Amino acid sequence: MYDVEIRKPGFITEIIRGVQIFDTIDSVLPINMTPNYSSEELVHTTYVSPNELHSSTPRDQEGPPPEEETRMDYSYITEIDLSLPRETRTLNEVIVPDYITVHLGTPTSSARNVRVRFIDYIKNVVSSEIYPTWPNNSLRANIHAIITFALNRIYTEWYRSRGNNFDITNSTRYDMAFVENRNIFQNISNIVDEVFNVYARRMGFRDPYFTEFCNGTTVTCSGMSQWGTV
């Protein structure tokens, strides 16, 4: 892991600690620098947490129970409807939103909310949850699960229906890992660009399946094992 420092006259200095680098894998660090209107030098530091595969924190990813046990299928989203504000729309169809609002903490914490592009959110989560050196099909399996999990939270309005002003949290106990300003792995980014509108569902149902998952080693669950995909 490495520390990155970015300086530019007239802007707040950005320091990112814990940037993950893998041999043969291109890594992109997207940074939006903020103008510095102060006469003093200001520094903003971001800490990239270790990959979640090493976490021993139990996952309690509560979601809607399946109405029946059926085999999985994949569906493509071909129409995007963003004509109404997210807070006032009752979802009658599965959509891929332009943006998703992420709460940077547990559901009841007073942490900040950040609004990020949905496709960038998926790339961030995948880069935070698994290794980019895994086989291509393992990457795809995890990407499909992560996309579907996020769409399930949005489609069911899991948090907003409970009075919250966000779609999902970055707490791995309840949802999926998201690290603001972290680096993104290029091979993961390429796959997400290809399949961001593909999600898993049960045969006969259009809603995104609740794709619970865990690393399958230090933490086990009834859903998908991340290491098991390898």
Side-chain angles (χ1 to χ4, degrees):
M1 294 187 291
Y2 295 84
D3 294 342
V4 176
E5 183 174 320
I6 305 170
R7 293 179 178 270
K8 183 177 177 62
F11 290 83
I12 297 175
T13 296
E14 295 284 347
I15 298 177
I16 300 90
R17 301 194 183 280
V19 174
Q20 300 161 2
I21 302 295
F22 289 84
D23 187 29
T24 73
I25 302 295
D26 290 338
S27 186
V28 179
L29 184 60
I31 294 294
N32 293 318
M33 300 195 72
T34 304
N36 183 6
Y37 300 109
S38 171
S39 58
E40 302 178 357
E41 180 183 7
L42 299 180
V43 178
H44 176 255
T45 304
T46 297
Y47 295 89
V48 179
S49 55
N51 190 285
E52 282 300 317
L53 288 171
H54 298 289
S55 175
S56 58
T57 302
R59 293 206 180 212
D60 185 21
Q61 297 173 318
E62 183 182 1
E67 297 179 13
E68 60 183 41
E69 293 295 330
T70 52
R71 72 179 183 87
M72 302 294 288
D73 189 18
Y74 290 107
S75 289
Y76 292 80
I77 300 172
T78 57
E79 182 177 348
I80 300 176
D81 180 11
L82 297 174
S83 58
L84 297 176
R86 177 64 183 86
E87 291 78 11
T88 62
R89 183 173 65 242
T90 300
L91 299 186
N92 295 317
E93 60 182 338
V94 183
I95 64 170
V96 172
D98 281 345
Y99 289 87
I100 184 171
T101 300
V102 186
H103 186 67
L104 301 180
T106 61
T108 57
S109 71
S110 58
R112 289 188 301 118
N113 290 346
V114 294
R115 188 169 181 261
V116 297
R117 293 178 65 233
F118 180 81
I119 197 168
D120 293 334
Y121 167 78
I122 298 298
K123 294 176 182 181
N124 186 300
V125 171
V126 179
S127 297
S128 302
E129 287 277 359
I130 61 175
Y131 291 139
T133 53
W134 281 6
N136 184 274
N137 282 341
S138 299
L139 297 178
R140 288 177 177 272
N142 283 271
I143 289 170
H144 283 310
I146 288 168
I147 290 171
T148 307
F149 190 106
L151 289 177
N152 180 278
R153 286 290 193 242
I154 293 171
Y155 181 82
T156 62
E157 299 190 302
W158 185 256
Y159 289 111
R160 291 189 182 273
S161 65
R162 290 162 170 76
N164 297 295
N165 60 345
F166 52 84
D167 300 305
I168 201 166
T169 76
N170 76 338
S171 169
T172 55
R173 179 178 178 184
Y174 302 97
D175 296 299
M176 304 180 289
F178 172 87
V179 182
E180 189 179 18
N181 293 330
R182 69 150 297 134
N183 60 301
I184 306 300
F185 302 112
Q186 189 62 57
N187 61 332
I188 287 175
S189 177
N190 293 342
I191 298 174
V192 174
D193 285 339
E194 176 189 342
V195 302
F196 73 93
N197 63 340
V198 182
Y199 70 97
R201 65 177 176 85
R202 290 169 292 139
M203 292 295 292
F205 296 84
R206 67 181 178 182
D207 51 304
Y209 189 79
F210 179 62
T211 44
E212 177 187 9
F213 60 85
C214 55
N215 64 21
T217 53
T218 58
V219 178
T220 58
C221 61
S222 59
M224 185 187 75
S225 164
Q226 292 169 310
W227 277 111
T229 66
V230 181

